[in-house]
Amino acid sequence: ARTVQAELSLEEIAYATGTDKSHDDHKYVDLYSSLFEPIRHKVTNITELGIASGQSLAMWAIFFANAHVWGLDVWVQTEVRRLAKSEPRLHTFEANAYKTPPAALGLMPNTMDIIIDDALHDQIEPAAEVSAGDAQDQSECRTDDCAGKPYK
């Protein structure tokens, strides 16, 4: 007999990976779950700008089991590099997402299903890092720094 294993919720994954997006920190998983659960198995590429110590990259790789997860930061920590080497679907770039064109990193326009900006927390620079055409359906999500309002 075949055993059916229940998928972990985004909150369970967030808590297990130690990201600050779980309920015990910023609680972004509530919004993320409502947005991403319906497309969980359809997403093939997700990019996160601002990856810090890599916990959310690990979270996205588990949650979006069919996706490549791309992370950009001005400085990629050694632990994050190790994590990316251990998981073939994780890719990291050391670059300023606000000044480096996606094509310079080998990222093609219109190939990302989801783009999350968790890089700049003071909102001084405009959101010039990603043009509206860089996400396939132009539904980038900047929930970390704009109180859950989708950015377009």
Side-chain angles (χ1 to χ4, degrees):
R2 200 169 127 177
T3 305
V4 176
Q5 182 179 354
E7 289 182 311
L8 294 174
S9 71
L10 187 56
E11 169 56 28
E12 291 169 317
I13 298 167
Y15 188 78
T17 57
T19 178
D20 65 354
K21 292 169 176 53
S22 69
H23 286 149
D24 63 337
D25 281 309
H26 299 304
K27 201 176 175 179
Y28 298 132
V29 292
D30 291 343
L31 177 63
Y32 287 149
S33 292
S34 68
L35 293 170
F36 301 147
E37 187 62 44
I39 60 172
R40 183 176 188 170
H41 299 287
K42 296 176 185 172
V43 171
T44 58
N45 283 297
I46 175 172
T47 297
E48 183 164 26
L49 310 177
I51 56 177
S53 57
Q55 291 121 326
S56 61
L57 289 182
M59 175 186 74
W60 297 129
I62 295 167
F63 184 75
F64 294 113
N66 300 319
H68 283 263
V69 180
W70 308 84
L72 283 81
D73 211 318
V74 292
W75 179 66
V76 178
Q77 297 179 23
T78 303
E79 307 86 55
V80 179
R81 291 178 195 275
R82 281 191 206 118
L83 175 65
K85 285 182 181 178
S86 71
E87 170 53 64
R89 293 182 301 109
L90 285 180
H91 315 277
T92 60
F93 298 98
E94 199 162 275
N96 183 326
Y98 301 97
K99 296 180 179 171
T100 307
L105 302 171
L107 299 173
M108 301 302 297
N110 303 313
T111 59
M112 293 299 142
D113 298 307
I114 299 168
I115 299 171
I116 296 175
D117 186 345
D118 190 14
L120 189 64
H121 293 275
D122 60 15
Q123 296 301 304
I124 292 171
E125 280 191 64
E129 77 280 6
V130 180
S131 70
D134 285 338
Q136 285 183 16
D137 63 1
Q138 297 184 6
S139 61
E140 297 91 42
C141 181
R142 291 177 52 90
T143 57
D144 286 0
D145 293 318
C146 61
K149 297 175 183 172
Y151 172 80
K152 291 188 180 182

